[in-house]
Amino acid sequence: METKRSKTILWSLVLIAAFSALSLGAESIAEATGQTLLMTVLKKGTVYALLAVSMNLLNGFTGLFSLGQAGFMLIGAYAYAILTIPVAKRAGVYQYYDGGIVQFSIPETFSGVFGDLAGGVIGMVVTLVICGLLAAFFGWLIGLPVLRLKSDYLAIATLGFAEIIRTFIQYESFAPLTNGSNTLRQYPTFKHLYPYVIIVGLCILGIVLLVNSTYGRAFKAIRDDEIAAEAMGINLAKHKMLSFIISSFFAGVGGGLLAMYMSSVQAKGFTVAMTYEILLMVVIGGIGSISGSIIASYLFIGCSEWWLRFLDDPSNNPGGLKLLAPGFRMVVFSVFIMIVVLFFRKGIMGEREFPDLLRHRPKKTKKEAAGK
């Protein structure tokens, strides 16, 4: 078991390093050729990869059907924006609320100690951790009552939580903190792709280590059969809460990264449709496969943001031909999703991971092939 875990860690580190190198190459190509959509797909796909893996930890590995991902992402996104807007720019952002009640910026605080560049980066990373911790706290808070529920009831309760969070953030009484229904903007972001890749890669590595630990095996046992897991001595309430909190933490970090990618944050964008998109990535990639969630994230963002745009956008159509009407690309995209679901019942990867594709599988004997 220890050998398998060591190989898993090694493979994960190799993949992170390889993808970081590829991201640098892709960014250079995109800048040289002016392919801005390529950078959009890579950045957004990287962020959504973390969000999909965090949801897969809960839905795929623990068997808890939660639809509250958008709520935790919203907490992370707003926490990042509120804590990083430069002090000098707060009056312009909170123009209706006298500059807001938060009068400090974490990156600026660290910049005063470590210098502008290093301090700014350290401050941004620390803020992302705070985003995750805040989301984890709310995950613990909401998990106390809702984790007693199962199946559809749990999904409805977590979905309601996400909508409540979105409503509270836009509530006028909290506006001096959240800016109400107005946009939060002018906060620092990562301009290049590789910081996204490194942060997301390390987060996913942490999830991989968790899944391959004793806690991960307990999560899978709960998913397969709660009664049998409890009979084996697994504390169901403890492990469900742990999975819920960890998933919330990484969703909060993903929300902070998404705020960086978007350069502005507004609560109305974090709707239930965002949760459904992430759930769709998990299903397409394979419920119970981290590798599948990563692959599906890039495929989903690539199709929706770039490859199919020529179907309803004449500016991206080489011949200038407008096919049918705006929005037709989503019809074609839906057909692709149906094909994947029909022919890959367990998703693209099923429950397999990247290392499983390289392992030698012994050929079946004639009796095994015949089903004897």
Side-chain angles (χ1 to χ4, degrees), residues 38 46 78 139 141 147 153 170 179 212 245 266 275 281 332 370:
L38 174 59
T46 301
Y78 263 76
L141 200 62
L147 289 181
Y153 300 102
Q170 297 178 92
N179 209 23
N212 287 279
I245 290 174
Q266 196 168 19
T275 299
M281 294 174 195
V332 177

Side-chain angles (χ1 to χ4, degrees), residues 20-33 35 38-39 42 193:
S20 298
L22 288 173
S23 66
L24 287 172
E27 188 168 15
S28 300
I29 294 171
E31 290 177 353
T33 59
Q35 288 288 347
L38 174 59
M39 293 308 300
L42 291 175
L193 174 62

Side-chain angles (χ1 to χ4, degrees), residues 47-354:
V47 175
Y48 269 75
L50 175 59
L51 296 170
V53 171
S54 69
M55 191 174 201
N56 207 348
L57 173 65
L58 192 62
N59 291 29
F61 288 98
T62 316
L64 298 176
F65 187 30
S66 171
L67 293 177
Q69 209 75 353
F72 299 118
M73 291 163 57
L74 183 58
I75 291 170
Y78 263 76
Y80 180 82
I82 291 169
L83 295 174
T84 59
I85 296 174
V87 175
K89 296 181 179 179
R90 288 187 178 272
V93 176
Y94 289 87
Q95 55 184 332
Y96 302 110
Y97 306 103
D98 299 325
I101 60 175
V102 176
Q103 292 298 320
F104 65 90
S105 170
I106 292 179
E108 287 184 337
T109 302
F110 278 90
S111 294
V113 179
F114 299 101
D116 291 339
L117 181 59
V121 172
I122 293 172
M124 292 162 71
V125 173
V126 169
T127 307
L128 287 175
V129 175
I130 294 173
C131 295
L133 292 174
L134 283 173
F137 170 74
F138 278 93
W140 170 77
L141 200 62
I142 192 65
L144 290 174
V146 304
L147 289 181
R148 300 174 186 271
L149 305 173
K150 295 182 179 180
S151 188
D152 297 343
Y153 300 102
L154 175 60
I156 293 170
T158 51
L159 180 61
F161 155 74
E163 291 301 304
I164 290 171
I165 288 293
R166 191 160 62 91
T167 302
F168 267 96
I169 283 178
Q170 297 178 92
Y171 189 49
E172 191 65 25
S173 297
F174 295 107
L177 176 65
T178 64
N179 209 23
S181 58
N182 302 303
T183 303
L184 289 175
R185 62 191 187 280
Q186 298 189 25
Y187 47 80
T189 64
F190 290 130
K191 303 300 181 183
H192 300 285
L193 174 62
Y194 62 88
Y196 292 90
V197 173
I198 293 172
I199 293 172
V200 169
L202 292 175
C203 290
I204 292 177
L205 175 61
I207 296 175
V208 169
L209 295 176
L210 176 67
V211 168
N212 287 279
S213 68
T214 54
Y215 288 102
R217 291 193 289 275
F219 294 159
K220 294 174 185 177
I222 294 172
R223 174 195 65 188
D224 296 336
D225 193 326
E226 286 192 10
I227 297 175
E230 191 172 24
M232 292 169 60
I234 296 174
N235 188 325
L236 298 184
K238 173 187 172 182
H239 285 84
K240 284 183 179 181
M241 179 63 78
L242 183 63
S243 177
F244 199 72
I245 290 174
I246 294 173
S247 176
S248 303
F249 173 85
F250 287 112
V253 174
L257 289 170
L258 190 62
M260 284 189 190
Y261 162 76
M262 296 188 299
S263 300
S264 63
V265 176
Q266 196 168 19
K268 68 179 183 180
F270 290 78
T271 61
V272 64
M274 185 176 285
T275 299
Y276 290 152
E277 283 184 352
I278 299 169
L279 179 61
L280 188 58
M281 294 174 195
V282 173
V283 173
I284 292 174
I287 298 178
S289 171
I290 293 175
S291 304
S293 296
I294 297 171
I295 294 171
S297 299
Y298 286 103
L299 289 176
F300 186 95
I301 299 300
C303 288
S304 60
E305 298 285 344
W306 186 13
W307 299 326
L308 299 180
R309 280 190 176 273
F310 72 93
L311 294 173
D312 57 2
D313 188 352
S315 63
N316 289 323
N317 191 317
L321 178 64
K322 189 173 182 180
L323 302 178
L324 296 185
F328 180 63
R329 63 187 170 91
M330 298 310 297
V331 176
V332 177
F333 186 41
S334 301
V335 173
F336 286 163
I337 293 172
M338 291 174 62
I339 292 172
V340 171
V341 172
L342 286 173
F343 291 96
F344 297 90
R345 297 295 178 89
K346 294 185 178 181
I348 296 172
M349 294 290 287
E351 295 185 359
R352 296 173 298 171
E353 302 294 349
F354 286 129

